[in-house]
Amino acid sequence: MSALANHAFAKMNGIGNEIVVIDLRDGSGAVTPDDARAVAAPAGVPYDQLMVLQKPRLAGTEAFVSIYNNDGSESGACGNGMRCVARQSFLGGDKTALTFETRAGLINCWQGPAPELYTVDMGAPKFGWQDIPLAEEFRDTRGIELQIGPIDAPILHTPSVVSMGNPHAIFWVDDVEAYDLAKFGPLLENHPIFPERANITLAHIIDRDHIVMRTWERGAGLTKACGSAACATAVAAARLRRTNRTVHMTLPGGELTIEWRERDDHVLMTGPAELEYEGRFDPALFGAAA
């Protein structure tokens, strides 16, 4: 029987990014890809990311957080999900800052600058083609040779690519609603240039302090919000010298503030996290999956 059968969960929302948080720090078992897919089934608790807290591996950390997409694949980073984890972890305690471990590295989270807001230090971005990763060398990842549509009249072209613990491609457009992202997203996510697939974002720069964006999320699909994509987009725009290093991001689900901190190149994401409801998983979910 799955470790999640009858286990407690919190269904949360990070500006429209649907998040499920599970605490397994009591050593009650582990989550498998089959478990993650079963939770996302229509009879389960549909989500974009499943955040699983496990016993800390490093001294001074609150937990090791495994992150699953709704297709059962694992992700190295999820900014909106980490804000939800931080909110739950701060409840009932006197701590206002915590450190978590993920596949992408250590993530520091703290409460503020207002009680309902949480900041996540997403670490430093990576720009090398091997680090993103890409399947072939591009010396300048501010814009790579990739397009959708006819060679002489491409529909989308020349994305900036960045790693924020997971791969991101950002296409610069004048209107993020003018493209069928549900159609192009899967094609670009699985393009051979991305050996580990990629998150695909359409971004419109309003001015030096404001960007509007939409994202097709790797392993999750069309989403109302993707925190790591917001970070990647803000960084990519600043690299092109089209925005300042602190920008206001408008996503379909809400607003984020992203700061690419100059002193250490770390990317700070600030936004809300909301609890929708709590419950326990129906054991029948996992019996059906098995």
Side-chain angles (χ1 to χ4, degrees), residues 3-4 25 35 52 56 129-130 151 153 157 210 281:
L4 297 188
R25 284 177 290 181
D35 290 337
V52 182
W129 69 273
Q130 308 99 318
I151 294 177
H157 64 90
H210 187 195
F281 293 118

Side-chain angles (χ1 to χ4, degrees), residues 216-287:
W216 174 272
E217 195 163 3
R218 177 185 68 164
L222 199 60
T223 181
K224 292 182 180 179
C226 177
S228 61
C231 294
T233 301
V235 166
R239 284 188 82 203
L240 292 169
R241 302 186 183 278
R242 297 182 62 188
T243 62
N244 298 317
R245 291 180 73 107
T246 298
V247 291
H248 179 73
M249 309 294 295
T250 298
L251 299 82
E255 314 291 324
L256 293 172
T257 298
I258 307 296
E259 177 190 356
W260 186 16
R261 194 163 59 190
E262 193 161 6
R263 65 178 171 86
D264 60 3
D265 272 348
H266 282 215
V267 183
L268 309 183
M269 176 189 58
T270 300
E274 301 176 359
L275 175 66
E276 294 184 352
Y277 60 89
E278 295 177 309
R280 290 186 175 273
F281 293 118
D282 183 349
L285 272 176
F286 308 102

Side-chain angles (χ1 to χ4, degrees), residues 85 109 233:
V85 167
C109 305
T233 301

Side-chain angles (χ1 to χ4, degrees), residues 119-272:
T119 297
V120 177
D121 182 344
M122 297 288 287
K126 296 179 180 178
F127 307 119
W129 69 273
Q130 308 99 318
D131 299 321
I132 292 169
L134 302 177
E136 61 185 81
E137 180 178 0
F138 287 91
R139 294 190 177 183
D140 188 353
T141 53
R142 289 175 297 180
I144 68 168
E145 297 174 14
L146 175 63
Q147 66 181 43
I148 289 286
I151 294 177
D152 56 347
I155 298 169
L156 294 169
H157 64 90
T158 323
S160 299
V161 287
V162 181
S163 171
M164 285 301 313
N166 46 15
H168 291 271
I170 302 99
F171 291 86
W172 307 105
V173 299
D174 292 328
D175 180 0
V176 299
E177 300 293 343
Y179 301 85
D180 188 352
L181 189 53
K183 176 182 177 181
F184 297 125
L187 299 175
L188 290 164
E189 174 194 354
N190 295 285
H191 193 282
I193 197 66
F194 303 118
E196 296 181 7
R197 300 185 294 166
N199 298 277
I200 307 300
T201 292
L202 304 179
H204 172 49
I205 298 173
I206 303 295
D207 56 41
R208 294 194 62 81
D209 301 306
H210 187 195
I211 300 174
V212 176
M213 57 175 283
R214 295 173 63 212
T215 298
W216 174 272
E217 195 163 3
R218 177 185 68 164
L222 199 60
T223 181
K224 292 182 180 179
C226 177
S228 61
C231 294
T233 301
V235 166
R239 284 188 82 203
L240 292 169
R241 302 186 183 278
R242 297 182 62 188
T243 62
N244 298 317
R245 291 180 73 107
T246 298
V247 291
H248 179 73
M249 309 294 295
T250 298
L251 299 82
E255 314 291 324
L256 293 172
T257 298
I258 307 296
E259 177 190 356
W260 186 16
R261 194 163 59 190
E262 193 161 6
R263 65 178 171 86
D264 60 3
D265 272 348
H266 282 215
V267 183
L268 309 183
M269 176 189 58
T270 300

